[in-house]
Structures are given as structure tokens and as C-alpha cells.
Amino acid sequence: MNKKVPVKKAKDGSGEGKDAMALKKKAPRKAGPAEPSLWNRVQTYLREVIYELRKVVWPSPKETIGSTSVVVIIVILCGIYLGFVDLLLARFVRFLIG
């Protein structure tokens, strides 16, 4: 016959009080396989990089030239704007200083 031992309920209502938790034992850790060497990890990493690069959709030359030209134009416009603001602020500071 199996007798059921009454278990105190925890405050959260889980049914596992201090007594029940004290009776639980952790399973012993099993010895896992040794960690792979540095060279094996590097080989695995490079193999995965090549695999992922094959899945990349590269832009066509026309898309690359278009994107590059947009970036160059925006950089030139920002440079002109910041140069103009710098010129105005420099003249304003010269006016204040005298």
C-alpha cells in the first residue's frame, strides 16, 4: 500500500511547499561530449557563413549605381546646407563679438 503524505501548499498555490521541495533531488549531470577544438569551431563558422551568403539576394549593378548616386547627392546637399548654416552662425558670432 502506498500512503500519500500530505504536502503543505505553497503561497502561490502550486502544491509544493518547503517539505516537498526539500525532498526533490536534482538529477546528476551526465558527462557530455568534450567541447570541439578551436580549429573545428572556425571551420564550422566559415561553413555556415558560406551557406548563409548563398541565400543572400545581391543587388544588380543598376540598383547599386542608383543607390550610390542617391547617397552621394544627399551627402552633397547636406554638406551645402551645413556649410551655409556654419557661415551664418560664424557671421552672427563675429557680429556679437565685434
Side-chain angles (χ1 to χ4, degrees):
M1 278 193 191
N2 288 338
K3 281 188 167 182
K4 288 191 175 181
V5 178
V7 177
K8 292 182 182 177
K9 287 196 174 192
K11 290 181 182 179
D12 63 356
S14 63
E16 295 186 5
K18 292 178 185 175
D19 296 335
M21 292 180 86
L23 294 175
K24 283 187 177 180
K25 292 184 179 178
K26 292 183 179 179
R29 286 188 176 181
K30 294 181 180 178
E35 192 171 314
S37 69
L38 178 64
W39 180 247
N40 287 340
R41 289 186 296 185
V42 169
Q43 282 181 326
T44 303
Y45 173 76
L46 291 176
R47 194 176 303 120
E48 290 174 1
V49 166
I50 292 170
Y51 175 74
E52 290 297 326
L53 283 175
R54 287 185 181 146
K55 294 194 289 187
V56 172
V57 178
W58 297 100
S60 68
K62 185 177 179 181
E63 291 173 328
T64 305
I65 291 171
S67 299
T68 303
S69 60
V70 168
V71 169
V72 169
I73 290 171
I74 289 175
V75 167
I76 290 171
L77 291 176
C78 287
I80 291 171
Y81 172 74
L82 291 174
F84 181 71
V85 170
D86 182 54
L87 178 69
L88 289 178
L89 290 175
R91 288 190 180 185
F92 180 69
V93 169
R94 258 191 251 133
F95 173 75
L96 287 178
I97 292 176

